[in-house]
Amino acid sequence: MFYKLNQMKLQLWRNATLLLNIDDISILIDPMLGEKGSLGKFPMTDNELLNPLVDLPFNRESLTEKLRMIDAVAITHLHPDHWDSTAIEFIDKKTTILCPQAISEQIREQGFHNVIVIGEHIVWNDIEISTTKGQHGTGEIGDKMGTVNGFVFKKEKQSIYIVGDSIWNDDIAKEIDRHQPQYIVVAGGAATFSVGDPIIMTSEDIIKVCEYAPKSNIIITHLETVSHCKEDRQYTQKKIDQKGYSNQCLIPKDGETINLSFD
């Protein structure tokens, strides 16, 4: 289901950090740019690992050059594995920031001058951008994780849905019904704190996405980078293969670029 096309491509840097190219526009999504271990130990985890667990798949010189080439940064929420202090420091303060209303003022307070709030829907550089709802866990833990959003990017008949940090629930199903995206990017890994249920998708959740959206290609990110994720690439791929969804799903490596194809 993945074929070459030159209009849209997506590169995974690591975790949730993605570079989306739509024609000649480059949008960096949820940048976590710090070096390995720079975020330290996450609270309420059952290990002493320092986050992020891996470096970016390129050196600082390459990062600086890549940041010069971006046209905008899109931020789903402000958890440090999506928007860290290094991103705040390294990204030019004149860069266009695309974000939901709930986090816009804090980003302005961090010194960014060109913050564009996305309500339900805007058109920016001929790209339709919509915010979507998510649920970052359940119960008390879900409440503490706060409000999270995702994005749908559309150009003409081509669309990609960045779900963001969310478990599978009715809101995700409604967004799929509403936007009918050809590509859906989900946060896998079953991140779980020392108490409570997973706060992002398990492999079982991802299979539910496949079942609900059989015509969509599923891209799985958020793997092997933060210490509270319980499922790695090998485990997730095994579960997908067992259910017969290997042709529908792709698990990119850090640094891998996917050329998106649209029928």
Side-chain angles (χ1 to χ4, degrees):
M1 297 182 78
F2 294 86
Y3 307 99
K4 186 175 181 181
L5 189 78
N6 61 5
Q7 290 187 333
M8 277 197 194
K9 61 183 181 179
L10 187 73
Q11 183 183 38
L12 173 64
W13 288 11
R14 66 178 171 191
N15 200 53
T17 306
L18 298 159
L19 183 64
L20 175 63
N21 292 99
I22 303 176
D23 293 332
D24 59 347
I25 300 297
S26 295
I27 303 170
L28 182 61
I29 301 167
D30 283 352
M32 176 179 60
L33 305 182
E35 296 180 352
K36 179 180 176 180
S38 59
L39 294 178
K41 180 181 180 292
F42 281 173
M44 295 177 61
T45 53
D46 53 6
N47 58 66
E48 298 296 321
L49 298 173
L50 304 182
N51 296 279
L53 304 178
V54 297
D55 275 316
L56 288 166
F58 39 75
N59 60 30
R60 285 290 165 184
E61 184 179 354
S62 296
L63 173 61
T64 300
E65 182 61 29
K66 288 175 180 292
L67 293 179
R68 289 196 192 104
M69 303 298 291
I70 62 171
D71 297 290
V73 175
I75 307 170
T76 61
H77 65 297
L78 296 179
H79 290 168
D81 63 324
H82 293 250
W83 180 243
D84 66 356
S85 59
T86 305
I88 296 167
E89 177 185 355
F90 277 34
I91 294 171
D92 191 293
K93 296 301 186 289
K94 294 179 288 187
T95 302
T96 296
I97 306 293
L98 307 167
C99 67
Q101 176 71 50
I103 61 175
S104 59
E105 189 57 37
Q106 188 169 343
I107 293 171
R108 289 190 182 99
E109 290 173 355
Q110 291 167 342
F112 291 88
H113 311 305
N114 188 16
V115 178
I116 297 177
V117 172
I118 305 173
E120 184 174 329
H121 173 81
I122 67 166
V123 177
W124 175 80
N125 277 6
D126 296 323
I127 301 168
E128 297 180 51
I129 308 173
S130 302
T131 55
T132 60
K133 294 180 180 179
Q135 183 180 337
H136 204 353
T138 58
E140 184 179 353
I141 292 293
D143 292 340
K144 288 182 177 180
M145 298 305 289
T147 300
V148 295
N149 293 97
F151 297 111
V152 174
F153 298 91
K154 292 183 181 179
K155 181 98 182 255
E156 298 175 353
K157 295 182 179 181
Q158 303 175 353
S159 61
I160 182 168
Y161 172 21
I162 311 293
V163 174
D165 278 9
S166 180
I167 59 174
W168 169 256
N169 68 353
D170 288 344
D171 284 335
I172 307 303
K174 290 175 183 177
E175 300 292 0
I176 294 170
D177 290 342
R178 175 187 172 198
H179 295 285
Q180 296 293 307
Q182 291 104 323
Y183 287 86
I184 303 173
V185 180
V186 300
T192 310
F193 291 109
S194 53
V195 296
D197 295 324
I199 58 172
I200 54 177
M201 290 196 190
T202 64
S203 56
E204 292 180 358
D205 282 340
I206 294 168
I207 289 164
K208 291 176 183 177
V209 178
C210 293
E211 293 171 344
Y212 195 85
K215 295 183 179 180
S216 299
N217 299 291
I218 313 303
I219 300 172
I220 304 164
T221 65
H222 219 293
L223 300 173
E224 301 176 3
T225 310
V226 289
S227 61
H228 54 322
C229 281
K230 306 300 183 183
E231 299 179 359
D232 61 12
R233 285 180 170 92
Q234 183 178 4
Y235 180 92
T236 304
Q237 187 68 62
K238 179 181 178 181
K239 292 297 183 180
I240 289 166
D241 292 345
Q242 288 174 347
K243 293 295 184 177
Y245 291 111
S246 55
N247 289 332
Q248 189 180 357
C249 296
L250 180 65
I251 303 175
K253 299 176 182 177
D254 293 353
E256 182 175 350
T257 297
I258 307 161
N259 292 298
L260 306 183
S261 172
F262 300 88
D263 296 330

